[in-house]
Coordinates of all heavy atoms in Angstrom, one line a residue:
D1 N -19.4 14.8 112.7 CA -19.4 13.7 111.8 C -18.3 12.7 112.1 O -18.4 11.5 111.8 CB -19.3 14.3 110.3 CG -19.4 13.2 109.3 OD1 -20.4 12.4 109.4 OD2 -18.5 13.0 108.5
E2 N -17.1 13.2 112.6 CA -16.0 12.4 112.8 C -16.2 11.4 114.0 O -15.5 10.4 114.1 CB -14.7 13.2 113.2 CG -14.3 14.0 112.0 CD -13.1 14.9 112.3 OE1 -13.2 15.7 113.3 OE2 -12.1 14.9 111.6
V3 N -17.2 11.7 114.9 CA -17.5 10.8 116.0 C -18.9 10.2 115.9 O -19.4 9.7 116.9 CB -17.3 11.5 117.3 CG1 -15.8 11.9 117.5 CG2 -18.1 12.8 117.4
A4 N -19.4 10.2 114.7 CA -20.7 9.6 114.4 C -20.6 8.1 114.5 O -19.5 7.5 114.3 CB -21.2 10.0 113.0
P5 N -21.7 7.4 114.8 CA -21.7 6.0 114.9 C -21.1 5.4 113.6 O -21.3 5.8 112.5 CB -23.2 5.6 115.0 CG -23.8 6.8 115.6 CD -23.1 8.0 115.1
G6 N -20.2 4.4 113.8 CA -19.5 3.7 112.8 C -18.2 4.4 112.4 O -17.3 3.9 111.7
K7 N -18.0 5.7 112.8 CA -16.8 6.5 112.4 C -16.0 6.8 113.7 O -14.8 7.2 113.5 CB -17.2 7.8 111.8 CG -17.9 7.6 110.4 CD -18.2 9.0 109.8 CE -18.8 8.9 108.5 NZ -19.0 10.2 107.9
G8 N -16.6 6.8 114.8 CA -15.9 7.2 116.1 C -16.9 7.2 117.2 O -18.0 6.6 117.1
A9 N -16.5 7.9 118.2 CA -17.3 8.0 119.4 C -16.9 9.2 120.3 O -15.7 9.5 120.3 CB -17.3 6.7 120.3
F10 N -17.8 9.8 121.0 CA -17.5 10.8 122.0 C -18.1 10.3 123.3 O -19.3 10.0 123.4 CB -18.1 12.2 121.7 CG -17.6 13.2 122.6 CD1 -16.4 13.8 122.5 CD2 -18.4 13.6 123.7 CE1 -16.0 14.8 123.4 CE2 -18.0 14.6 124.6 CZ -16.8 15.2 124.4
L11 N -17.2 10.0 124.3 CA -17.6 9.4 125.5 C -17.4 10.4 126.7 O -16.5 11.1 126.7 CB -16.8 8.1 125.8 CG -16.9 7.0 124.8 CD1 -16.0 5.8 125.2 CD2 -18.3 6.6 124.4
V12 N -18.3 10.3 127.7 CA -18.3 11.1 128.9 C -18.3 10.2 130.1 O -19.0 9.2 130.1 CB -19.5 12.1 128.9 CG1 -19.6 12.8 130.3 CG2 -19.3 13.1 127.8
A13 N -17.4 10.5 131.0 CA -17.4 9.8 132.3 C -18.3 10.6 133.3 O -18.0 11.8 133.5 CB -16.0 9.7 132.8
E14 N -19.2 9.9 133.9 CA -20.1 10.6 134.9 C -19.9 9.9 136.2 O -19.8 8.7 136.3 CB -21.6 10.4 134.5 CG -22.1 11.2 133.4 CD -23.6 11.0 133.2 OE1 -24.2 10.0 133.7 OE2 -24.2 12.0 132.6
D15 N -20.0 10.7 137.3 CA -20.1 10.2 138.6 C -21.4 9.5 138.8 O -22.5 10.2 138.6 CB -19.9 11.4 139.6 CG -19.9 11.0 141.0 OD1 -20.8 10.2 141.5 OD2 -19.0 11.4 141.8
T16 N -21.4 8.3 139.2 CA -22.7 7.5 139.3 C -23.6 8.1 140.4 O -24.8 7.9 140.4 CB -22.5 6.0 139.5 OG1 -21.7 5.8 140.7 CG2 -21.9 5.4 138.3
E17 N -23.0 8.7 141.4 CA -23.8 9.2 142.6 C -24.4 10.6 142.2 O -25.6 10.8 142.4 CB -22.9 9.3 143.8 CG -22.6 8.0 144.4 CD -21.8 8.1 145.7 OE1 -21.8 9.2 146.3 OE2 -21.1 7.2 146.0
S18 N -23.6 11.5 141.7 CA -24.1 12.8 141.4 C -24.6 13.0 140.0 O -25.4 14.0 139.7 CB -23.0 13.9 141.7 OG -22.0 13.8 140.7
G19 N -24.2 12.2 139.1 CA -24.5 12.4 137.7 C -23.7 13.4 137.0 O -23.9 13.8 135.8
R20 N -22.8 14.0 137.7 CA -21.9 15.1 137.2 C -20.9 14.5 136.2 O -20.2 13.5 136.5 CB -21.2 15.8 138.4 CG -20.3 16.9 137.9 CD -19.9 17.8 139.1 NE -18.8 18.7 138.8 CZ -18.8 19.8 138.0 NH1 -19.9 20.1 137.5 NH2 -17.7 20.5 137.9
A21 N -20.7 15.2 135.1 CA -19.7 14.9 134.1 C -18.3 15.2 134.7 O -18.1 16.2 135.2 CB -19.9 15.6 132.8
L22 N -17.5 14.2 134.6 CA -16.1 14.3 135.2 C -15.0 14.4 134.1 O -13.9 14.9 134.4 CB -15.8 13.1 136.1 CG -16.7 12.8 137.2 CD1 -16.4 11.5 137.9 CD2 -16.7 14.0 138.2
G23 N -15.3 13.9 132.9 CA -14.3 14.0 131.9 C -14.9 13.5 130.6 O -16.0 13.0 130.5
C24 N -14.1 13.6 129.5 CA -14.5 13.1 128.2 C -13.3 12.7 127.4 O -12.2 12.9 127.7 CB -15.3 14.3 127.5 SG -14.2 15.7 127.1
G25 N -13.7 12.1 126.2 CA -12.7 11.7 125.3 C -13.4 11.2 124.0 O -14.5 10.8 124.0
A26 N -12.6 11.2 122.9 CA -13.2 10.8 121.6 C -12.2 10.0 120.9 O -11.0 10.0 121.1 CB -13.6 12.1 120.8
I27 N -12.8 9.2 119.9 CA -12.0 8.5 118.9 C -12.6 8.8 117.6 O -13.8 9.0 117.5 CB -11.8 7.0 119.2 CG1 -13.2 6.4 119.2 CG2 -10.9 6.7 120.3 CD1 -13.1 4.9 119.1
R28 N -11.7 8.9 116.6 CA -12.2 9.1 115.2 C -11.3 8.1 114.4 O -10.1 8.1 114.5 CB -12.1 10.5 114.7 CG -10.7 11.1 114.6 CD -10.6 12.4 114.0 NE -9.3 13.0 114.0 CZ -8.9 14.1 113.4 NH1 -9.8 14.8 112.9 NH2 -7.7 14.5 113.4
V29 N -12.0 7.4 113.5 CA -11.3 6.5 112.6 C -10.6 7.3 111.5 O -11.2 8.1 110.9 CB -12.3 5.4 112.0 CG1 -11.6 4.6 111.0 CG2 -12.9 4.6 113.1
L30 N -9.3 7.0 111.4 CA -8.5 7.7 110.4 C -8.4 6.8 109.1 O -8.4 7.3 108.0 CB -7.1 8.0 110.9 CG -7.0 8.9 112.1 CD1 -5.5 9.0 112.5 CD2 -7.6 10.3 111.8
T31 N -8.1 5.5 109.3 CA -8.0 4.6 108.2 C -8.7 3.3 108.7 O -9.0 3.2 109.8 CB -6.5 4.3 107.9 OG1 -5.9 3.5 109.0 CG2 -5.7 5.5 107.6
P32 N -8.8 2.3 107.8 CA -9.5 1.1 108.3 C -8.9 0.4 109.5 O -9.5 -0.3 110.2 CB -9.5 0.2 107.0 CG -9.5 1.2 105.9 CD -8.6 2.3 106.4
D33 N -7.6 0.6 109.7 CA -6.9 0.0 110.8 C -6.4 0.9 111.9 O -5.9 0.4 112.9 CB -5.8 -0.9 110.3 CG -4.6 -0.1 109.7 OD1 -4.8 1.1 109.5 OD2 -3.5 -0.7 109.6

């Protein structure tokens, strides 16, 4: 729920050649700013 649309995001970096996931990161909104 913390990374749901409008509240945050979970992103994955993929190698464009192999499609293999190389890493990830997330953001979650804590306060309006």
Side-chain angles (χ1 to χ4, degrees):
D1 186 54
E2 294 176 308
V3 294
K7 294 182 178 181
F10 186 81
L11 304 180
V12 169
E14 282 187 341
D15 182 310
T16 56
E17 291 183 22
S18 68
R20 179 164 165 77
L22 301 174
C24 63
I27 55 167
R28 65 176 178 174
V29 174
L30 298 177
T31 68
D33 66 347

